[in-house]
Amino acid sequence: MAREFQRGHKAKISDLTAGTDLYVGVQISAPGLTFDISCFGLDANEQLSDDRYFIFFNQPKSPEESLQLLGAQAGDTESFRVTLDRIPPQIQRLSFTATIDGNGQMSQIGPGYIRIVAGGEEVCRYSFDGSEFTTERAVMLGDFYLKDVWRFAAIGQGFDGGLEALLKNFGGEVAEEQPQAQQPQAAPSFGAPATPAAPPAFGAPAGGPAPAPAPAPAPAPNFGAPAAPAPQQTPPQPQQPSVHTAPTVVAPMTPPAGTVPPPAPAPGQHAPQPGFGQQPPQQPQFGQVPGQPGAPQGFGQPPGMPQQPGAPAGYGMPQPQPAAGPGLQAALQPYKETATGARWTPQNQQMMRVDLNMGGTPVLARQGSMVMYQGKVDFSYKSAGFAGRIIGNATGQEMQLMRCTGRGQVFLAENGAHLHSIELQGDGICVSAENVLAFDESLQHEVRRIEGHGIPGGALFTMQFQGTGTVVVKTHGIPVVLPVTPTTYADSNAIVAWSSAAQVIISSQVRLRRNSFPGHSGETVNLQFRGAPGNFIVVQPYEV
């Protein structure tokens, strides 16, 4: 039986099916609207660093054919074949999207879905409809992403702008579109058995015949846009051109270097036929000596009208393009909002964006950490209760929190600290309350005591987070993550977090003989960590 996903749900592919050769089907429709359904193969930074992994109507497969566009079949508007064990290591996320071709809004769509089929059996499905969107013209439906193992996440995130804007969001380059009639392309064959009754080779769902073999598609340009038509050449005009019908093709603005102007015709002889892009000989202007060449006319400029310095070119002359300066938009481009379709998205090293539309779980954040927000978001005080305040004051692990609910995006930051989102999936992590900026309300958190006789500065206790969700940790500077070994020690004032399965022991280097003399090293008390392989600690380059 297929597993039903809700927006924000995630699961390991291995928990859904043991297969790696998967069929992905998308169903989306609306009256009078046409949709472009695509797959973006993204790198570790969620950018389209290789245009060959942008799979859409004009580029139906990746180089090694690990991603293939199959076309409409089995009741799906569009379908893909995804072979996970053939995807190259630099591709770590596959984002399946749908965009409206032309005018329209995602609020107009009817019930739709994205589903995964393995071995002919549907294993999971994420359903959506137009009530979840407003004026968006694109939607990020679902993602395959590599985190130790391949996983699937139901995204359902609307996106303003069409396919071009979505491509720019993923770091792709948009070539200048050229008008050209698109030739209908049949879906490529993936080598299904010849017998109609047999299931497809990779287990596509039953319900329709396998797509017929099609010729290999034409090679795509740099990002897969329709190929630009070959430039047309206009033959020379045999008849005498008039001023208003002079050809408007690109011609030299001034004669090439070394070109000698033709001599004036002798009396009684006909003037030679003007060459391509030249004007007929003109009468000398007022004050000009006959036989002397005048100032060159602009291409397409009416005769007798001299070209004025700084004046615009004639209406028959191609207008010069202004030099493309950096401009305001180019200067602000590196600082634009980053929307990846994930619930938690770092905007830069010091700012985190959380999308409350995804997951349906409120967020608890440090009071005053909101710097801006979009949408309808409500901020309320989160009380720790009487017992919580007593424990927080006694242990130094009190957190003044606010509760963020509603629909929209909230941007969080605090004093320029570096922010790091840590996703928990049933595991746990220990973090000092001072280093916690925000976390999902679904996470369980409690104060945990560190074994030992005490640590200067009150760092005798820490906060432990467990469950499924994300916690955002802040650090002073860029931290270092170290594996836990039997000889791993850390300064209690520099440690930020560690895996909850690790054992922490207070280690003191105080010796009677060493301290009988004045002065000390300043490193007398540290934390020693022990644990099985896989445990870690996070240390910042700063001591509180």
Coordinates of all heavy atoms in Angstrom, one line a residue, residues 381-394 398:
Y381 N 4.5 34.8 23.3 CA 5.4 34.5 24.4 C 5.3 33.0 24.7 O 4.2 32.5 24.8 CB 5.1 35.3 25.6 CG 6.0 35.0 26.8 CD1 7.3 35.3 26.9 CD2 5.4 34.3 27.9 CE1 8.1 34.9 28.0 CE2 6.1 33.9 29.0 CZ 7.5 34.2 29.1 OH 8.2 33.9 30.2
K382 N 6.4 32.3 24.8 CA 6.5 30.9 25.2 C 7.0 30.8 26.6 O 8.1 31.1 26.9 CB 7.4 30.2 24.3 CG 7.7 28.7 24.7 CD 6.4 27.9 24.6 CE 6.7 26.4 25.0 NZ 5.5 25.6 25.1
S383 N 6.0 30.4 27.5 CA 6.4 30.3 28.9 C 7.0 29.0 29.2 O 6.6 27.9 28.7 CB 5.1 30.5 29.8 OG 5.4 30.3 31.1
A384 N 8.0 29.0 30.0 CA 8.7 27.8 30.5 C 8.0 27.1 31.7 O 8.4 26.0 32.1 CB 10.2 28.0 30.8
G385 N 7.0 27.8 32.2 CA 6.4 27.3 33.4 C 7.2 27.6 34.7 O 8.3 28.0 34.6
F386 N 6.5 27.5 35.8 CA 7.2 27.8 37.1 C 8.4 26.9 37.3 O 9.5 27.3 37.7 CB 6.2 27.7 38.2 CG 6.8 27.9 39.6 CD1 7.0 29.2 40.0 CD2 7.1 26.9 40.5 CE1 7.6 29.5 41.3 CE2 7.6 27.1 41.7 CZ 7.9 28.4 42.1
A387 N 8.2 25.6 37.1 CA 9.3 24.6 37.3 C 10.4 24.9 36.4 O 11.6 24.8 36.7 CB 8.8 23.2 37.2
G388 N 10.0 25.2 35.1 CA 11.1 25.4 34.1 C 11.9 26.6 34.4 O 13.1 26.6 34.2
R389 N 11.3 27.7 35.0 CA 12.1 28.9 35.4 C 13.0 28.6 36.5 O 14.1 29.1 36.6 CB 11.1 30.0 35.7 CG 10.4 30.6 34.5 CD 9.8 32.0 34.8 NE 8.8 31.9 35.9 CZ 7.5 31.7 35.7 NH1 7.0 31.5 34.5 NH2 6.7 31.6 36.7
I390 N 12.5 27.8 37.5 CA 13.4 27.4 38.6 C 14.6 26.6 38.2 O 15.7 26.9 38.5 CB 12.5 26.6 39.7 CG1 11.4 27.5 40.3 CG2 13.5 26.1 40.8 CD1 11.9 28.7 41.0
I391 N 14.3 25.6 37.3 CA 15.4 24.8 36.8 C 16.4 25.6 36.0 O 17.6 25.5 36.1 CB 14.9 23.6 36.0 CG1 14.1 22.7 37.0 CG2 16.0 22.8 35.4 CD1 13.4 21.5 36.2
G392 N 15.8 26.5 35.1 CA 16.7 27.3 34.3 C 17.6 28.3 35.0 O 18.7 28.4 34.7
N393 N 17.0 28.9 36.1 CA 17.8 29.8 36.9 C 18.9 29.1 37.7 O 20.0 29.6 37.9 CB 16.9 30.6 37.8 CG 16.0 31.6 37.1 OD1 16.4 32.1 36.0 ND2 14.8 31.9 37.6
A394 N 18.5 27.8 38.1 CA 19.5 27.1 39.0 C 20.6 26.5 38.2 O 21.7 26.3 38.7 CB 18.7 26.0 39.7
E398 N 18.5 28.6 31.2 CA 17.2 29.2 30.9 C 17.2 29.8 29.5 O 18.1 30.5 29.1 CB 16.8 30.2 31.9 CG 15.4 30.8 31.8 CD 15.1 31.9 32.8 OE1 16.1 32.3 33.5 OE2 14.0 32.3 32.9

